[in-house]
Amino acid sequence: MLRFAPSPTGDMHIGNLRVAIFNYVVAKQKNEQFIVRIEDTDKERNIEGKDSEILQILEKFALGHDQLFYQSENLHIHQTLAIRLLEEGKAFVCTCTPEELETDREEAKAAKIAYRYSGRCEAMKSGDLARLKEENIPFVIRLRKPEMAILHKDIIKGEIVTAPNEVDSFVILRADGTPTYNFACACDDMLTGIDCIIRGEDHLSNTPKQIHIKNLLGYSAETQYAHLPIILNTEGKKMSKRDDASSVKWLFLEGFIPDAIANYLLLLGNKTPHEIFTLPEAIEWFDLASISKSAAKFDIDKLRFVNREHLRRMDARRLSTLFGFADADIGLLAKIYLEEASTLGELETKVQAIFRPKNFDCEWGEQMRILQKVIYDAPMIMDFEQFKEHLSKESTLKGKAFFKPLRLLLTGAEHGPELADIYPYIKSYILEIAS
Ligand code: GLU
């Protein structure tokens, strides 16, 4: 069982999308369910509408899920499990005030050592709970740190050993009764039988904590982990919100298509048998273990190349509809422009220039008018050579004075692909185009 567990706290980052794709692919390979769990427990960080945005993006990428749930639906289960750990003495109530904890943190900082919980409330028992409630004393529930090191084998990172002190006695239930990320996450993974967790390496330090939680809850099923290296920008820094290309929404607006983005993210830091492929093809050969251990650098030029190749392979009629045309011709016309354009946005600019009313107020305006008149008076000519001969004969224009205005009239641009290549796809719109 695999899961994608996004927090509805911002725009979908390509790093998250990569995690979703990898989980989906592995679920399909294992013939197991793919669960989407919206991690909405931290109410203050949730942003209205981001959950549906995430779900829409997953749909655009055809990452269909078998189950969808919101983490907050499990609140009472998280609370019950926290109380159970408390009653079993595996967790304790902690009444340390935020000020006390802050002082401890500052002391650790001054001593240049990593902050760890002081252990001040470790002796408190579940029996103290009633008194604290009665006296209205705020408390949290902390899990007792493990007695032995936590060991786990990561598919990408290898074997990782975490000392008990590093796991620390951490909070599982906050003073307002809500679970912390690690606790809610570990409980839900356990409850849904997630046996393979693929996520970003920023979560690597959470893994021993989550293993410890599951151990104390008596969950013994084996879980595999794979932490994906971060994605770097061109400057070699972690791709953040400040990098436009980190936002899936931005990539869509630029005209990168889902098939190409998915292809690129599967290619990133990976050894693949082909460079251009579809998601169903990747399911055939994808191997998590072949993902590079080191960070991958995002390369927009490579993505542009992959996008171009997917546009080239796209059904022409489908491509036409993206530009508002029903017949395949415009898709085929757009494909010719893939020599000089890579995104839907760039292709659209080219196609629009062909159909937009032409500017006759230019160096070749006069000749364009002459050619326009000949085109208006001519019958529809199927063959470009014949079309050219007819225009040249009727207009008496020659050489540059013929070709320059003809190109401008037909494409709205001074340069571009061979007119002979374009003509078959524009001939049926010629009167509209030469206007
Ligand atoms: N909500 C966490 C995130 O979006 C999930 C991490 C995980 O997959 O466990 O980063």
Side-chain angles (χ1 to χ4, degrees):
M1 207 80 105
L2 286 100
R3 49 57 161 194
F4 173 52
S7 305
T9 52
D11 283 352
M12 173 98 101
H13 183 281
I14 50 162
N16 292 120
L17 177 62
R18 184 168 64 145
V19 166
I21 294 172
F22 282 27
N23 275 294
Y24 174 85
V25 168
V26 174
K28 292 290 156 204
Q29 288 181 325
K30 294 183 165 204
N31 211 5
E32 286 181 10
Q33 287 203 0
F34 174 57
I35 299 177
V36 173
R37 177 173 82 220
I38 306 281
E39 299 211 320
D40 60 341
T41 346
D42 193 347
K43 296 276 179 234
E44 274 170 24
R45 292 188 56 228
N46 290 347
I47 300 179
E48 174 102 33
K50 288 294 166 199
D51 53 340
S52 25
E53 235 176 74
I54 293 168
L55 295 172
Q56 277 162 15
I57 289 178
L58 295 181
E59 207 179 305
K60 280 210 171 95
F61 282 88
L63 303 174
H65 51 258
D66 302 291
Q67 277 185 57
L68 164 70
F69 73 95
Y70 285 69
Q71 188 159 60
S72 56
E73 291 166 22
N74 278 353
L75 176 68
H76 62 287
I77 304 181
H78 302 142
Q79 290 171 334
T80 307
L81 291 175
I83 299 294
R84 196 176 98 192
L85 290 170
L86 188 63
E87 282 167 353
E88 290 172 357
K90 295 170 179 167
F92 59 93
V93 284
C94 168
T95 55
C96 290
T97 63
E99 293 74 25
E100 281 170 323
L101 295 172
E102 191 47 39
T103 312
D104 293 348
R105 263 195 202 95
E106 273 163 22
E107 276 173 14
K109 204 170 156 196
K112 293 195 168 60
I113 51 170
Y115 162 79
R116 300 284 178 251
Y117 177 64
S118 64
R120 206 178 285 123
C121 298
E122 261 170 11
M124 285 234 252
K125 303 252 156 47
S126 63
D128 293 304
L129 208 56
R131 177 181 58 85
L132 295 175
K133 282 186 179 163
E134 205 172 290
E135 294 174 14
N136 242 342
I137 298 173
F139 65 89
V140 300
I141 297 183
R142 273 181 199 274
L143 202 64
R144 273 183 216 291
K145 65 182 168 198
E147 279 160 18
M148 289 199 303
I150 302 275
L151 190 133
H152 84 273
K153 203 161 172 283
D154 192 281
I155 297 174
I156 299 171
K157 304 273 169 191
E159 207 161 81
I160 294 174
V161 183
T162 314
N165 255 349
E166 274 178 69
V167 178
D168 207 10
S169 296
F170 59 95
V171 179
I172 56 170
L173 209 69
R174 300 190 189 93
D176 64 1
T178 60
T180 54
Y181 154 70
N182 275 319
F183 192 61
C185 181
C187 291
D188 292 347
D189 285 339
M190 177 184 90
L191 292 168
T192 45
I194 303 296
D195 54 13
C196 178
I197 295 180
I198 306 170
R199 57 186 171 194
E201 71 176 10
D202 46 330
H203 286 291
L204 197 54
S205 62
N206 290 322
T207 299
K209 289 189 166 67
Q210 295 177 12
I211 293 175
H212 182 46
I213 294 168
K214 287 189 273 192
N215 285 346
L216 292 188
L217 285 171
Y219 186 69
S220 55
E222 204 189 314
T223 309
Q224 285 186 305
Y225 290 88
H227 288 89
L228 308 181
I230 53 166
I231 305 177
L232 303 176
N233 64 16
T234 37
E235 281 126 51
K237 299 215 179 81
K238 184 181 172 182
M239 254 188 134
S240 72
K241 279 188 205 137
R242 261 164 292 158
D243 298 291
D244 284 336
S246 72
S247 151
V248 180
K249 236 199 237 168
W250 184 87
L251 293 174
F252 283 160
L253 284 175
E254 282 294 297
F256 290 101
I257 58 171
D259 284 355
I261 302 173
N263 183 154
Y264 179 70
L265 291 175
L266 280 157
L267 205 58
L268 202 60
N270 195 359
K271 288 191 277 300
T272 62
H274 319 282
E275 204 163 41
I276 304 298
F277 47 82
T278 62
L279 203 55
E281 281 163 13
I283 294 169
E284 304 285 319
W285 46 253
F286 180 76
D287 179 16
L288 255 184
S290 67
I291 302 293
S292 155
K293 282 187 185 30
S294 45
K297 208 165 191 166
F298 187 84
D299 178 357
I300 191 106
D301 289 331
K302 184 75 184 209
L303 174 59
R304 287 171 64 82
F305 160 76
V306 173
N307 204 55
R308 221 156 47 223
E309 292 307 310
H310 276 273
L311 286 171
R312 206 162 265 155
R313 290 168 185 212
M314 192 190 269
D315 173 64
R317 201 174 290 275
R318 200 177 138 222
L319 187 54
S320 291
T321 60
L322 300 180
F323 300 119
F325 290 87
D327 70 295
D329 279 355
I330 303 305
L332 293 167
L333 169 67
K335 286 188 185 201
I336 295 175
Y337 276 93
L338 285 172
E339 294 302 323
E340 49 189 88
S342 307
T343 64
L344 279 179
E346 288 164 4
L347 283 184
E348 196 171 12
T349 310
K350 305 283 180 193
V351 173
Q352 274 172 354
I354 295 175
F355 284 90
R356 206 185 303 122
K358 303 299 174 315
N359 174 22
F360 291 84
D361 196 11
C362 68
E363 190 190 344
W364 302 103
E366 200 190 315
Q367 291 84 345
M368 285 166 72
R369 285 275 174 229
I370 298 172
L371 290 173
Q372 184 187 43
K373 179 150 190 327
V374 181
I375 291 175
Y376 281 178
D377 292 343
M380 159 115 146
I381 303 174
M382 302 305 278
D383 177 66
F384 181 66
E385 284 308 314
Q386 283 173 17
F387 174 74
K388 214 170 59 179
E389 264 168 42
H390 176 79
L391 287 193
S392 169
K393 193 167 129 241
E394 295 294 316
S395 67
T396 69
L397 297 170
K398 293 205 167 44
K400 198 170 156 191
F402 174 67
F403 285 109
K404 283 261 176 188
L406 182 60
R407 174 173 289 283
L408 282 169
L409 189 64
L410 298 188
T411 68
E414 282 192 43
H415 308 281
E418 294 293 333
L419 290 180
D421 294 340
I422 300 176
Y423 188 71
Y425 308 114
I426 60 170
K427 61 181 189 300
S428 37
Y429 300 95
I430 202 77
L431 296 181
E432 185 185 342
I433 288 170
S435 64

